[in-house]
Amino acid sequence: MIVTEYELRANWHKTKDKLMSLPPGSVITPSARDFIRSKGIEVQIEGNGLQDLNKSTFSSASQSIDKYNHKSFEEPKALWETQTKTTTKTDTNTNTNTPSGVKPEHMTHLRTGALVTKTHPVIAYRGQLDLFQCELVEAQSFFHHEGEEGLLLKLEEISVFCRQLMVSEVKQEPFQWTTLIGLTAEELRDRSHHPRKYFGIDHTPLSYTHGAIVAKLHHLRAKSREVELYANRAFTDDETGACSRTDLIQALNRLSSAFYILACEVRGRKTQALAEKLVPLGTSNRHIHLSQTDLEALFGRNYSLTVQKELSQPGQFAAQETVTLQGPKGTLEKVRVLGPVRKSTQAELSVTDCFKLGISPVIRDSGQHEGTPGLRIAGPVGSVELEAGVIVASRHIHLHTDEAKEWSLKDGDRVCVKVESQRPMVYEDVLIRVSDEYRKEMHLDLDEANAALLDPSSQGKLMGV
């Protein structure tokens, strides 16, 4: 049995007994011994009578230290003295003059006057709690950059909570708290178990479509669970299952709930903001964007595109120029060139077009050409062998910066959209693209538009992130 100051303080005031009876082999930590002396408590070891607390250790304690070493909060001074003697003897044999009583590098202070190895479970727990607080600061920097001032303040509250956890354990004091992020322990548990009731969303697997902020909160949640695991290793007896610091374990458990709740709040906030948000639909037929180098190779030196008509997105236009695309199995003629010229050439086709050409359809966001197929482009003056850049464009929505802010969306988010048409459909994984130059519009390729039987009156309704 290990007697700690924390246990004595938590239980002694209930009875205020002046005699404490302990079984043989018990270990009393130094701070617990000081507490016993201050309260005038006499200690009796069963079968050995009353003990003299002025002695450095109990004889029975010395015999059982090795058995309980990995679970004790403080390792008695006798252990350090034994290890120091062993170290000194070894140092003498190796002709190293290490003074007796100097702390070895492989040991550290668990508490004042108590040295343990750095692999001690409590030291490992403290290290994980330190690391967790570092990740909290990194997350705060991220949230500040993203303009999430509300989350920034809540993480500051959590940082204070974690510092108090550390102080409580080191001082062996009960950890007492009332609320975290404005919620009691029971409220934290209830909200984390019923996200539909409180946030309007269901329990769903973590997805990149939820966005970087939700992903960061889930990372912190997973890390807090790891800290809780280390706390269990430090304060729970493997054989009996008894836990000496249930207060810390409960607090860490509710901490992970708090991060899940914050993630649900962010998702719920976006889902609510998207309610009844309608977006016009545009059908994007096959087309190609050319670099200036490829434009000149196809149409001649110093050639410039000729505007045929302006497109819905400001600054974009359909050119009079067309090209022929040649694949392993087929050809597409009169493929419209869109301007202005771009940094690299990109052909945007439908899945049906890819099958006709004999190339594998690869879905990509615009500009992401790695792993995409190529083809031959023929123009009136010359041809270009395009090694990569043929894509089936990801379905996406263009939003002006102000509209994105109003809808609590940002560039790179993914949403679900229900298309209202003769054949209603729900499109998932729709990319949000945000710019001061954009006009609100959802783009689908020809295959997707035909599948939904779109007409000029069709609209898309954002359903959720």
Side-chain angles (χ1 to χ4, degrees):
M1 177 179 179
I2 303 174
V3 181
T4 67
E5 180 187 6
Y6 169 76
E7 291 172 323
L8 289 176
R9 288 186 180 278
N11 297 311
W12 181 80
H13 72 279
K14 299 176 184 178
T15 60
K16 297 187 178 180
D17 291 333
K18 292 299 182 179
L19 177 64
M20 178 185 298
S21 181
L22 300 175
S26 295
V27 174
I28 300 180
T29 63
S31 60
R33 186 180 299 113
D34 292 339
F35 179 81
I36 291 171
R37 290 196 193 101
S38 69
K39 300 301 182 182
I41 303 171
E42 292 187 310
V43 176
Q44 175 179 291
I45 299 296
E46 296 174 2
N48 291 329
L50 295 177
Q51 302 296 307
D52 185 357
L53 291 181
N54 292 319
K55 293 182 179 180
S56 60
T57 59
F58 294 111
S59 59
S60 55
S62 300
Q63 296 170 3
S64 58
I65 285 172
D66 289 337
K67 177 179 179 182
Y68 291 98
N69 174 37
H70 70 291
K71 288 298 177 186
S72 63
F73 292 138
E74 301 185 37
E75 298 197 31
K77 188 176 180 181
L79 175 61
W80 162 229
E81 290 175 344
T82 302
Q83 291 173 328
T84 302
K85 291 176 182 177
T86 303
T87 304
T88 304
K89 182 178 180 181
T90 303
D91 291 340
T92 302
N93 292 338
T94 56
N95 298 319
T96 301
N97 297 320
T98 302
S100 176
V102 175
K103 180 176 76 67
E105 293 296 334
H106 71 286
M107 302 188 77
T108 188
H109 286 280
L110 186 62
R111 307 185 207 289
T112 303
L115 284 170
V116 295
T117 61
K118 293 180 179 179
T119 58
H120 189 284
V122 175
I123 301 302
Y125 159 70
R126 292 178 184 175
Q128 288 298 312
L129 192 54
D130 276 337
L131 177 59
F132 178 65
Q133 292 182 79
C134 292
E135 297 200 16
L136 278 176
V137 173
E138 291 179 351
Q140 284 180 293
S141 298
F142 173 75
F143 291 145
H144 176 67
H145 181 267
E146 294 295 317
E148 291 284 347
E149 296 302 319
L151 285 175
L152 189 65
L153 292 175
K154 288 183 178 178
L155 258 64
E156 184 61 32
E157 180 187 349
I158 290 173
S159 294
V160 173
F161 186 84
C162 290
R163 289 195 291 270
Q164 291 171 340
L165 278 171
M166 181 72 80
V167 171
S168 171
E169 182 275 311
V170 171
K171 292 187 175 181
Q172 291 187 288
E173 297 173 347
F175 182 69
Q176 298 176 340
W177 62 286
T178 305
T179 61
L180 181 62
I181 62 169
L183 301 172
T184 65
E186 286 305 314
E187 288 171 336
L188 287 166
R189 179 181 175 85
D190 187 48
R191 280 166 172 73
S192 66
H193 280 70
H194 303 98
R196 166 59 62 181
K197 175 182 177 182
Y198 292 100
F199 312 111
I201 61 171
D202 294 316
H203 291 293
T204 54
L206 179 62
S207 168
Y208 73 95
T209 62
H210 297 159
I213 293 173
V214 172
K216 180 68 72 174
L217 289 168
H218 274 280
H219 176 86
L220 292 173
R221 179 194 183 202
K223 186 60 188 177
S224 69
R225 284 181 163 181
E226 187 174 8
V227 178
E228 181 185 352
L229 175 61
Y230 273 82
N232 272 287
R233 290 174 179 170
F235 307 123
T236 303
D237 189 292
D238 292 334
E239 296 181 1
T240 65
C243 179
S244 58
R245 292 305 304 258
T246 55
D247 54 340
L248 300 182
I249 303 300
Q250 187 230 32
L252 288 167
N253 181 272
R254 294 302 186 271
L255 180 59
S256 67
S257 297
F259 286 118
Y260 186 65
I261 288 169
L262 292 177
C264 289
E265 285 182 350
V266 173
R267 288 183 56 207
R269 181 180 69 202
K270 288 189 175 183
T271 299
Q272 184 177 10
L274 295 177
E276 298 303 319
K277 298 298 186 291
L278 301 178
V279 59
L281 302 176
T283 301
S284 179
N285 201 354
R286 69 177 75 104
H287 60 271
I288 189 168
H289 302 275
L290 295 175
S291 67
Q292 184 62 40
T293 301
D294 289 345
L295 176 64
E296 293 183 14
L298 295 169
F299 292 92
R301 186 176 180 83
N302 297 324
Y303 192 87
S304 297
L305 291 173
T306 305
V307 177
Q308 183 184 67
K309 69 173 183 178
E310 299 290 338
L311 299 178
S312 59
Q313 295 305 311
Q316 304 295 305
F317 62 88
Q320 292 182 4
E321 290 77 11
T322 63
V323 297
T324 298
L325 304 183
Q326 299 171 346
K329 295 183 179 181
T331 299
L332 294 174
E333 297 180 346
K334 296 183 178 181
V335 176
R336 185 69 55 188
V337 178
L338 300 189
V341 294
R342 292 193 177 182
K343 182 178 180 181
S344 58
T345 297
Q346 175 176 290
E348 298 183 30
L349 309 177
S350 68
V351 173
T352 301
D353 292 334
C354 292
F355 289 156
K356 184 175 181 179
L357 291 170
I359 60 178
S360 298
V362 178
I363 300 174
R364 286 287 190 275
D365 296 341
S366 182
Q368 296 183 356
H369 297 167
E370 184 178 355
T372 59
L375 43 64
R376 186 171 184 270
I377 309 170
V381 173
S383 63
V384 172
E385 293 293 338
L386 188 65
E387 296 183 358
V390 180
I391 68 171
V392 176
S394 301
R395 54 182 76 115
H396 57 275
I397 295 175
H398 292 276
L399 284 179
H400 188 272
T401 305
D402 293 339
E403 294 167 331
K405 184 176 181 181
E406 180 184 348
W407 290 2
S408 298
L409 293 172
K410 64 180 183 303
D411 192 71
D413 280 349
R414 306 271 176 169
V415 298
C416 295
V417 178
K418 182 177 181 181
V419 171
E420 303 289 355
S421 65
Q422 297 180 58
R423 184 188 287 171
M425 300 186 70
V426 174
Y427 292 98
E428 297 182 349
D429 200 27
V430 181
L431 173 67
I432 297 295
R433 299 179 62 187
V434 179
S435 170
D436 290 338
E437 304 299 324
Y438 287 160
R439 181 178 298 163
K440 181 169 59 179
E441 187 175 47
M442 177 174 174
H443 286 175
L444 299 171
D445 67 30
L446 194 60
D447 285 352
E448 294 174 311
N450 288 340
L453 292 177
L454 295 187
D455 58 47
S457 65
S458 299
Q459 294 189 89
K461 182 170 73 172
L462 277 68
M463 300 180 64
V465 294

